[in-house]
Amino acid sequence: PAKMGLFPFLNHPLGKPALVLLGTIVVSIFAFHGTIVFWPQDNPFETTQVEISKGASLAAIGSKLKEQKILTNERTFLMAVKILGHETNIPAGKFTLLDPKNNYQIIRQLIEGKPVLKKVTLLEGWTMDKIAEALETKLGLNKKGVLTLCKNRSFVSKTGIPSKSLEGFLFPDTYFFHEDDSPENVLTQIIEEYQKNISDDLRTRADEMGFSELEMITLASIIEGEAIYDTERSIISAVYHNRLKLGMKLQADPTIQYIIKGSPRRLLNRDLKINSPYNTYLYDGLPPGPVNNPGKASILAALYPDKNDYLFFVARGDGYHTFSKTKEEHNRAKKTFQKVRRKYRKKRR
């Protein structure tokens, strides 16, 4: 008997025509799929933006693109998405589409393109309240809800922050967030940046100085509230370290600013008498927690103070300070500053 070979059906009189027909069908299917995937969408855009809602169905996405005139043939778009297996892969967010002239270009950019992100800059020395306000303005997050979450013991514990709230640990930096990010995701990203910047070496240094991590950030926040120029941060830090060693009250103005309402202003004598554990004019040692969110420079200054004998400092009126070792020197420096202040007032009149 003759050998049948690998494809015995080819020896049948109808074998070869059947194979040709099968091949034609396969090619036709691929051609049809290719046509659908690359079907042109006759829109006028070179670039356009589209926002995909969280949980939107494929049909809803198609309708959205149709409404924005990105699609002229919605049906082929839906078919193309299914052919490519992306029914559930289109993420939520705001996207910029470049030259979206056919189904493939649109789908690829929705799947592979990065959603438009919103830029938020948090500055050194901002309080938790100020940061919550910025997140509301830039991202539309509810300020009250953000503050509530910042004080939620369970959430704070999950972040690994050794405090009752996130005050002091919302690391100042420039961030990029998705428009629909939740308050939890936003705060978690900010805390992760803090954790990246606080190394084990810094925590070890704090421990060697007898500070807990919370105390380290608390002192750094006071330095942040006082210093304008980096060159003075370690000197100001030394003043507070020297006072702590001698058992003197810190008498730090930023701790008073923290407990008075409204924007920062010139402190009055009655402000210094407010009964609060944050009032370092009344109570010894560090306050119970940070009074703002310090940057890396102030944190380093808290851990690596200058070596000096200064116990006092007063503003000079130009952003810098005059440092003194004795009360008498300090009083003279205060009188000098008061003269500068009076001259400034006369110029403004």
Side-chain angles (χ1 to χ4, degrees):
K3 292 183 179 179
M4 298 300 289
L6 292 175
F7 302 101
F9 68 91
L10 291 178
N11 294 320
H12 191 279
L14 296 178
K16 288 183 180 179
L19 183 62
V20 171
L21 178 61
L22 179 61
T24 302
I25 293 172
V26 171
V27 170
S28 297
I29 292 173
F30 275 104
F32 174 74
H33 282 189
T35 300
I36 294 299
V37 168
F38 291 95
W39 192 279
Q41 297 291 348
D42 189 21
N43 63 61
F45 305 115
E46 290 184 4
T47 179
T48 187
Q49 282 194 342
V50 62
E51 185 171 357
I52 307 299
S53 302
K54 186 177 289 187
S57 65
L58 178 57
I61 294 171
S63 296
K64 177 81 171 180
L65 296 175
K66 179 76 171 178
E67 287 173 15
Q68 292 188 217
K69 303 188 184 322
I70 297 170
L71 299 181
T72 53
N73 192 315
E74 183 181 348
R75 185 182 177 189
T76 62
F77 171 79
L78 298 177
M79 293 172 64
V81 173
K82 292 176 181 178
I83 288 170
L84 294 172
H86 292 312
E87 291 103 313
T88 60
N89 294 343
I90 299 177
K94 184 179 285 186
F95 300 84
T96 297
L97 302 180
L98 305 176
D99 198 30
K101 297 302 183 185
N102 64 51
N103 287 334
Y104 181 75
Q105 290 173 335
I106 296 169
I107 296 167
R108 181 179 60 79
Q109 290 184 69
L110 289 176
I111 297 298
E112 299 176 5
K114 294 182 179 178
V116 175
L117 301 176
K118 287 207 166 184
K119 179 181 177 181
V120 180
T121 298
L122 308 181
L123 297 181
E124 292 86 349
W126 277 7
T127 62
M128 196 164 65
D129 187 82
K130 177 70 174 175
I131 288 175
E133 186 177 307
L135 295 178
E136 182 174 63
T137 301
K138 295 289 187 178
L139 300 178
L141 299 180
N142 179 269
K143 177 182 175 180
K144 186 176 180 181
V146 171
L147 287 173
T148 298
L149 191 60
C150 285
K151 299 171 186 175
N152 182 291
R153 296 289 185 88
S154 176
F155 178 75
V156 173
S157 178
K158 287 178 183 177
T159 65
I161 294 302
S163 179
K164 296 177 181 179
S165 83
L166 296 182
E167 186 77 273
F169 301 91
L170 299 173
F171 196 75
D173 205 341
T174 294
Y175 297 89
F176 293 88
F177 300 109
H178 295 287
E179 242 186 348
D180 62 343
D181 262 340
S182 67
E184 290 84 358
N185 287 342
V186 169
L187 292 176
T188 297
Q189 187 173 330
I190 296 172
I191 292 302
E192 285 175 352
E193 193 61 30
Y194 166 82
Q195 300 290 15
K196 288 178 188 175
N197 279 273
I198 305 303
S199 64
D200 289 340
D201 287 343
L202 293 184
R203 290 188 174 92
T204 299
R205 171 67 177 174
D207 187 58
E208 289 171 350
M209 300 181 78
F211 286 150
S212 67
E213 186 173 347
L214 177 61
E215 290 171 331
M216 169 183 74
I217 299 301
T218 299
L219 178 55
S221 73
I222 296 174
I223 296 167
E224 190 69 69
E226 294 281 17
I228 293 177
Y229 298 106
D230 287 347
T231 53
E232 285 198 343
R233 293 184 195 278
S234 63
I235 305 174
I236 291 172
S237 174
V239 171
Y240 289 128
H241 277 282
N242 292 340
R243 281 178 164 260
L244 287 171
K245 288 175 184 176
L246 293 173
M248 296 175 66
K249 291 182 175 63
L250 293 184
Q251 297 183 321
D253 288 357
T255 66
I256 307 299
Q257 294 286 2
Y258 188 67
I259 57 180
I260 61 177
K261 294 181 180 180
S263 302
R265 58 168 172 80
R266 183 185 172 191
L267 297 180
L268 306 173
N269 285 332
R270 68 170 181 265
D271 297 324
L272 308 184
K273 299 173 183 177
I274 297 172
N275 188 12
S276 166
Y278 281 87
N279 187 341
T280 54
Y281 279 80
L282 289 182
Y283 292 93
D284 294 332
L286 290 166
V291 296
N292 60 51
N293 292 275
K296 186 71 172 285
S298 290
I299 295 171
L300 291 174
L303 294 175
Y304 298 94
D306 183 47
K307 292 183 179 180
N308 61 55
D309 298 322
Y310 295 133
L311 295 173
F312 308 91
F313 62 90
V314 65
R316 283 187 349 198
D318 60 356
Y320 289 93
H321 297 82
T322 298
F323 295 89
S324 306
K325 297 178 181 179
T326 67
K327 187 68 174 176
E328 291 74 20
E329 290 176 352
H330 181 56
N331 287 336
R332 288 196 294 269
K334 283 201 296 185
K335 287 180 180 179
T336 301
F337 175 61
Q338 286 166 359
K339 290 179 182 178
V340 172
R341 181 180 283 165
R342 283 194 291 269
K343 286 182 182 178
Y344 177 71
R345 284 177 184 165
K346 287 180 182 179
K347 287 182 180 179
R348 291 190 65 184
R349 288 173 185 171

